[in-house]
Amino acid sequence: MGKIFYTLFLSAMLTSCMSYSGFYNVGLQEVERPENAKERYGESKIVNFQEEGKTKYSYEDDMIKIVWLPLSTQFAFSLQNKTDHSIKIIWDEAVYVNENGSSGRVMHAGVKYIDRNNSQPSTVVVKKANIDDIIVPTNNIYYTSGQYGGWSTNPLFPNRAMSQEELKNLTKKYIGKTVQILLPLQIEETVNEYIFTFKVEDFISK
């Protein structure tokens, strides 16, 4: 009788703890450049490609080439400076705009969570060089106290639910939504604001 009770109890616990999850396909849709950018930095193009089983998105003009990899909690990117001058990424002016149109600060690699709302020094990309970095919306970062607490990061879009039906209804709200990243790039004395627009294309359950 004891073994039967324990088995039923364990089964109930596993069922109550079960959750369903998956991941969103988020693609780069368009890039807004500064006014008269075409005259200064030439034609632009966006392409997507597969690398190590992941879809990446490349944007390129005569000034930069940037490759994006949207992840569950952040945007990873590689930025190449194609000019003969240094480029500064002005992090204090960078912005993430979520699917509801609300904008907020971002942080990048090397910044401590506790310092996420403090001023962040610019990153310098020297001529003809490139860097790898990430962008995380600071509004998605939170701290939980207690024995099992600590710093955590919410996903860009909810991707977990207690039932398949709940997950389906939850994720359906985000398909077709767009988010934006404003990345200010300073070359010499000119600040060029690039706005990258990403679209949620679909959701794949695990």
Side-chain angles (χ1 to χ4, degrees):
M1 182 65 179
K3 290 183 178 180
I4 294 175
F5 175 79
Y6 177 76
T7 301
L8 291 173
F9 175 76
L10 180 61
S11 176
M13 286 293 293
L14 290 174
T15 301
S16 64
C17 293
M18 182 181 295
S19 64
Y20 298 86
S21 63
F23 61 91
Y24 295 87
N25 283 324
V26 179
L28 178 62
Q29 292 296 299
E30 61 179 354
V31 180
E32 181 181 333
R33 298 190 293 175
E35 189 176 356
N36 301 323
K38 184 175 181 180
E39 288 76 9
R40 287 182 290 166
Y41 306 124
E43 298 289 344
S44 63
K45 62 179 179 180
I46 298 174
V47 298
N48 62 70
F49 60 95
Q50 293 289 319
E51 186 174 87
E52 299 179 350
K54 298 177 181 178
T55 302
K56 296 185 177 181
Y57 300 85
S58 172
Y59 167 83
E60 185 172 6
D61 60 21
D62 291 346
M63 181 171 122
I64 63 168
K65 179 179 180 180
I66 185 166
V67 177
W68 292 96
L69 176 61
L71 300 170
S72 62
T73 61
Q74 63 195 33
F75 291 84
F77 71 92
S78 176
L79 175 66
Q80 177 187 356
N81 178 358
K82 299 173 65 177
T83 76
D84 293 321
H85 306 275
S86 293
I87 291 177
K88 287 183 179 180
I89 304 176
I90 308 176
W91 291 112
D92 281 347
E93 297 178 15
V95 173
Y96 176 75
V97 182
N98 69 15
E99 73 282 357
N100 297 316
S102 297
S103 61
R105 287 172 55 86
V106 304
M107 61 178 285
H108 66 111
V111 177
K112 295 180 180 179
Y113 284 169
I114 197 170
D115 296 327
R116 66 194 184 283
N117 293 320
N118 295 339
S119 179
Q120 300 176 41
S122 300
T123 296
V124 177
V125 188
V126 300
K127 62 180 182 178
K128 306 301 183 183
N130 59 70
I131 63 161
D132 296 321
D133 211 328
I134 61 171
I135 286 177
V136 183
T138 58
N139 288 338
N140 288 0
I141 297 169
Y142 64 97
Y143 182 81
T144 304
S145 60
Q147 182 178 358
Y148 302 104
W151 290 101
S152 300
T153 305
N154 283 324
L156 299 171
F157 311 98
N159 62 352
R160 187 178 298 273
M162 298 306 295
S163 70
Q164 289 181 326
E165 186 64 25
E166 183 182 343
L167 181 64
K168 180 181 178 180
N169 292 333
L170 175 68
T171 57
K172 188 164 57 175
K173 296 190 304 183
Y174 295 93
I175 305 301
K177 295 286 188 178
T178 60
V179 298
Q180 294 180 316
I181 293 174
L182 185 155
L183 199 61
L185 304 177
Q186 181 176 338
I187 178 169
E188 296 187 281
E189 300 303 318
T190 302
V191 177
N192 306 275
E193 293 187 341
Y194 281 77
I195 301 176
F196 299 88
T197 300
F198 298 86
K199 183 179 180 180
V200 182
E201 297 172 348
D202 60 19
F203 180 82
I204 299 175
S205 299
K206 291 182 180 179

